[in-house]
Amino acid sequence: MTQIPRLFVDAALHAGARLELPREQAHYLVNVMRKEAGAPVRLFNGRDGEWQAVIGAASRKGASLVVETRLREQTGVPRLRLCFAPVKKARTDFIVEKATELGVAVIQPVITRRTQSERVRTDRLLALATEAAEQTERLCLPVIGEPVTLERLLADWPEDEHLIFCDEAGDGEGAWGGASGRARPMLDLLEEQTAPSGGWTILIGPEGGFDETERAHLRSLPFVHPVTLGPRILRADTAAVAALTLWQGVLGDWQSADA
Ligand code: SAH
């Protein structure tokens, strides 16, 4: 069966609604997917679930849709936030796309002392996340935060939020934690949460890691849980995927069959 295109639209979705698609979406449907009037399209807007629509009129200039029936009730994603220090463009793009597929609610760039790429185009990251949300069949987009400094992020910390600090340097002094100084395994922390509540943040550092002051500050805070992601140093993008996967598998929505 040919894949029915699935699009995020910023419009109310209900039976009989008529939508004019923005130019780039119309171009995608008509010229890329070569869809014509009468062809089905699946729509979601982050609020009203997923709906089946059909293309009303389609031309090079644009396309209109008529919304017909609801296919899925609206569901959310767990209260999971990824805070990461932006890295090189391609790897930051990878982090945003994978975090969207892995079901985060918020993607928050955090500027740390060793962050190389301070300039973050959040509009471009949102476009990437939207495309990933369409493909991964999410019913909502992740929120992409404007970059904040680590100090600012920690200063305004929400009451019922836990911070999982992926600390490659471990409990040892300064250098790489090694066998003795490694932080506790992330799985131990997660399995300890008998009645998980509140929100969870996973924090990943830049290529150069966190500096000593940052690590000491993080480890002094009551809501911070330093964890290791094993005996090897992972690239930031690998660490983000690994930590998000572990969290979703133990505390997240991979547990429920009816997600
Ligand atoms: N400082 C490291 C590189 C940091 S890797 C070096 O000397 O090369 C980028 C980020 O990924 C780290 O800041 C950390 O948040 C995460 N990370 C990588 N490997 C990790 C591990 N084994 N345990 C915990 N976090 C890890």
Side-chain angles (χ1 to χ4, degrees):
M1 179 203 46
T2 55
Q3 181 73 358
I4 297 180
R6 185 168 186 276
L7 296 176
F8 172 79
V9 290
D10 189 6
L13 293 174
H14 54 80
R18 289 179 172 282
L19 315 177
E20 276 307 312
L21 281 182
R23 195 172 40 78
E24 62 276 13
Q25 283 186 323
H27 168 74
Y28 167 72
L29 271 188
V30 176
N31 306 325
V32 175
M33 299 294 282
R34 315 200 68 72
K35 296 298 179 188
E36 297 170 351
V41 180
R42 291 185 291 160
L43 303 176
F44 68 105
N45 62 6
R47 301 184 300 278
D48 301 328
E50 177 165 303
W51 287 74
Q52 167 120 343
V54 289
I55 297 180
S59 72
R60 285 196 174 288
K61 284 199 293 298
S64 67
L65 301 179
V66 180
V67 179
E68 292 179 337
T69 49
R70 190 199 307 266
L71 300 172
R72 288 162 65 193
E73 291 296 325
Q74 181 65 31
T75 55
V77 288
R79 277 182 63 186
L80 175 59
R81 173 171 63 159
L82 174 67
C83 287
F84 76 104
V87 286
K88 288 189 179 46
K89 184 170 163 297
R91 289 185 188 276
T92 291
D93 290 0
F94 179 88
I95 289 173
V96 169
E97 183 178 74
K98 298 315 154 197
T100 302
E101 294 172 54
L102 290 169
V104 300
V106 179
I107 299 174
Q108 175 62 59
V110 176
I111 308 304
T112 68
R113 286 199 177 76
R114 295 179 184 163
T115 299
Q116 304 287 324
S117 341
E118 303 220 352
R119 235 184 77 65
V120 178
R121 287 275 314 281
T122 47
D123 56 332
R124 215 178 57 76
L125 297 184
L126 183 60
L128 264 173
T130 301
E131 210 169 309
E134 290 169 345
Q135 173 276 325
T136 202
E137 312 235 340
R138 280 177 65 132
L139 288 171
C140 62
L141 300 185
V143 169
I144 310 280
E146 286 302 321
V148 291
T149 63
L150 179 61
E151 286 72 22
R152 165 65 41 229
L153 178 83
L154 297 176
D156 309 344
W157 198 260
E159 264 306 296
D160 63 345
E161 182 94 7
H162 307 267
L163 195 164
I164 298 178
F165 165 32
C166 294
D167 183 359
E168 80 285 2
D171 301 337
E173 283 313 308
W176 162 235
S180 61
R182 217 165 290 136
R184 77 183 301 203
M186 183 168 161
L187 194 53
D188 287 2
L189 169 70
L190 299 181
E191 289 182 331
E192 204 172 66
Q193 310 304 317
T194 45
S197 66
W200 289 79
T201 288
I202 289 172
L203 175 64
I204 304 287
E207 295 95 337
F210 293 96
D211 82 2
E212 282 320 301
T213 321
E214 289 169 335
R215 295 182 61 251
H217 181 194
L218 278 159
R219 284 168 165 271
S220 71
L221 298 168
F223 53 80
V224 171
H225 310 274
V227 298
T228 181
L229 296 177
R232 286 166 294 281
I233 292 184
L234 311 177
R235 284 189 184 280
D237 42 339
T238 314
V241 171
L244 291 173
T245 296
L246 209 50
W247 192 92
Q248 280 291 19
V250 179
L251 296 185
D253 62 9
W254 290 3
Q255 291 298 320
S256 54
D258 59 350

